Every structure is written in C-alpha cells, then in structure tokens.
Amino acid sequence: MVNYYTAVTPQVRNVPVFIQYSNHKELKTDSALNQRAQAVLQAVSAVQEGGSPSSAAGESVLTPAPSPVLRIIIDNMFYPVTLDVLQQIFSKFGTVMKIITFTKNNQFQALLQFSDPVNAQQAKLSLDGQNIYNSCCTLRIDFSKLVNLNVKYNNDKSRDYTRPELPAGDGQPPVDPSVAATLSKDSTSLLGAISPLSAAAAAAAAAGRVALSGHTGPGGVLLVSNLNEEMVTPQSLFTLFGVYGDVQRVKILYNKKDSALIQMSDGNQAQLAMSHLNGQKMYGKIIRVTLSKHQTVQLPREGLDDQGLTKDFTSSPLHRFKKPGSKNFQNIFPPSATLHLSNIPENVTEEDLRLLFSNSGGTVKAFKFFQDRKMALLQMSTAEEAIQALIDLHNYDMGRGHRLRVSFSKSTI
C-alpha cells in the first residue's frame, strides 16, 4: 500500500492523503491516555450541546485547564513553522484568537490563545509530542501562566484574528485578510489532520504557501559576512553549514574575502542554517548570516582561476540529509559546547578521543560513552571550541573504514 501510494497520491474528497509507516507496531485502544482523550471529547460535546460534563472522568480531566493560552515549543525545526501553519493545526480544536511567535534560548516558541480553556486542554492532550512534518518540527505544549495575550501588530510574527485592523508595525509586511483566508483554506489540505508529511511534501507545502501569498519567497542562498578571511575555506563552511542542510556550492567573494555565498538545497534549509548560525563565533569572529538576493551560486567560467574560492559540493558523499525521512532530521540542534560523536570503532578509547579533540585547539571538559561504545558525548569549554572541533573532525578517518560523525547535541554531561 505504501509503495503504491508513494507514486500515486490518493485523494479523499479532493484532499491529498499522504501515507507512510508509523513507528508503532500495533494500535492500543485501552490505554489510559485514550480513556482521558475520550473523556475530554465527551465533555466537550456536552458543553457544545448546551449541557454540562456530567461524568466524573470528564470533570477531572477538564479541571486542570488553567488558561486558554498554550505555550508551544518547536523541537527539531528543520522546516519553518509559520503563524498560518499553527493556526491551521490548532483551529481543529476550537477558535484560535491570537498567536505570538518568538525565539528564546535558540528555540522557536509561540503563545496561542483559544476562545475557551477547554479547547486549549483538548489541543494540548492531542498534539503534545506530535510532529508537524515527518521526523521533525515536534510540538512541545504546556499551559501558559498568561490568560490573555496582548497583540499590538498583525504581521508574520504575531496575529490577533479578532482585530484585522491592527497595524503591521515598523518594517513588517501587512497581512491581507483575503490572502490569510486563502492560505488557511488551501494549506489545510496539505497539513491534513496533523498527518506527518514526507520531507518532499513539506517542502512542497512551504512552496505552495509562498506561491499563494504572491511572493517568490527566499531562495536557498545565504550571505555570510564577518568571516576570518585568513582561516576560512569553502570546505570549512561546507562542513559547518552542512549540519543544517545539504550545501550545494560555496563561494568566498574574490574582492571581499570576509564574505561568502552558500547555496543550500532549498530555502527551508537556508532559513534553518540562518536561524542557528547567525551570531555564532567561528575562527574568533562573530559571523552574520542573512538570506541572499541571489538564487544560485555561479561557478567560475571555464579556464578562469578563482584561487579555489568557489567549490561545487553537489556530488559530495558527506551530505547528511540525502535520504528522505533520514533520522538525521531528528538530531538538528543549535551549536553548543556538547558534541555527539558516532561511528566510533570498538578499539578507540576515551583517552584517544579526548586527545584527538584537544588537538583541535580546545579543552575537553567532559566525556561519556553510550552503552554500545559506538557513540559518545564530548563537551568542550565553549560553543566556539565545539564549532572548531566539528569543522576539523567531522568525517575524520578513524581507521578500519570508520569515519567519525560529529553533530551538536542538546545534552550536557
């Protein structure tokens, strides 16, 4: 069934349906969670019909809803999550009145207000821990201490759906109510009932939203500035930015060698790399990452020597995300002092790895093998040292056909 419908997208009532395997081996219909969910649904039905939730189970489940406002954290945010996406998903559980999005501790977060606390409770129970897209963009939901949101502007960061007349704010594009309505109507079929999409479908969904809004949208090319021109190379930029997507080409500018253009596979990967790497320290300098006006990075004309400043990595074997649905989608984190190491040969010791990473110019503060000793966590003194170590040692030849894989970790030791 999965193989057949991968090639032929089925439709139910003119809505495309995406089918894939689940991580579950069987369906359990008698779990406590399911009973709680049923109690909530029964209580909500009773309230909507004008009655009151009569069952003790319904009352006990509904009682803890302290606020109509939910705090939402998006983990593993491989694709951008917009206000419209959040509104489409959460409006399945009730009327969404206001949304405010922001970044805190390098994580994308949102505050979302329902018209009724019961709707917030139902949404939290159903959506907490779900993925918006396949293996990424995981929803972490709890109740906010706030009971009402104060939204001043209607733009791409905040929205009050009860007050369409609000201004957009300085430098922000205004929201066209007709476009917002079109987005909501058209994109709901893409997201379905919180069904996870494949990476390709997610990209298509994002592209569809951009096309609907009448903009061409950001391309997959980044402009990186304030680089250490004496030390930076196309290879070092490929390795670092490759943590957040598949880098296709890198071009260090000939007349401004502290700046470079980096072409990612698509605009979503470019957005992800920009959100995690802008303001990070590389080779002693705080780099600035913005979206470029260019759509592609041009290779030098044939016969022209550009001193190795432009590299094409399209066919590189080191791309982390070539396989659709790769587990690497689940392990994308901002730069941190702690690194995750994998593909470690069985004969390599803790001392070997401590020495290897110390030689990259930093100080190893802590180390911990996983139980199978094929993976480990290694903590440097600072995130800058970890960035340097990742650039130097990702894909390092450990012998016996083992090449070390290095990623950033959200854990500490």
Side-chain angles (χ1 to χ4, degrees), residues 34 39 156 175 203 208 210 218 241 246 264 273 279 288 294 302 341 361 398:
N34 186 65
D156 61 354
V175 175
V210 168
F241 281 76
D246 291 337
M264 310 294 288
R288 300 296 174 204
H294 298 282
E302 191 172 348
L341 315 181
M398 302 293 292

Side-chain angles (χ1 to χ4, degrees), residues 110-133:
L111 293 171
L112 183 146
Q113 181 177 340
F114 278 101
S115 58
D116 193 302
V118 172
N119 303 136
Q121 173 79 323
Q122 187 185 2
K124 179 182 183 300
L125 189 65
S126 300
L127 298 179
D128 187 30
Q130 293 272 14
N131 292 333
I132 299 176
Y133 300 127

Side-chain angles (χ1 to χ4, degrees), residues 346-382:
E346 59 184 17
N347 63 318
V348 171
T349 66
E350 175 180 337
E351 188 59 36
D352 293 331
L353 290 167
R354 280 179 174 271
L355 181 62
L356 180 64
F357 279 78
S358 296
N359 288 340
S360 70
T363 302
V364 177
K365 302 286 287 185
F367 182 92
K368 179 183 178 182
F369 264 123
F370 284 59
Q371 191 169 2
D372 63 2
R373 296 182 68 86
K374 294 179 181 178
M375 296 188 291
L377 293 176
L378 183 143
Q379 187 173 327
M380 307 296 289
S381 291
T382 63

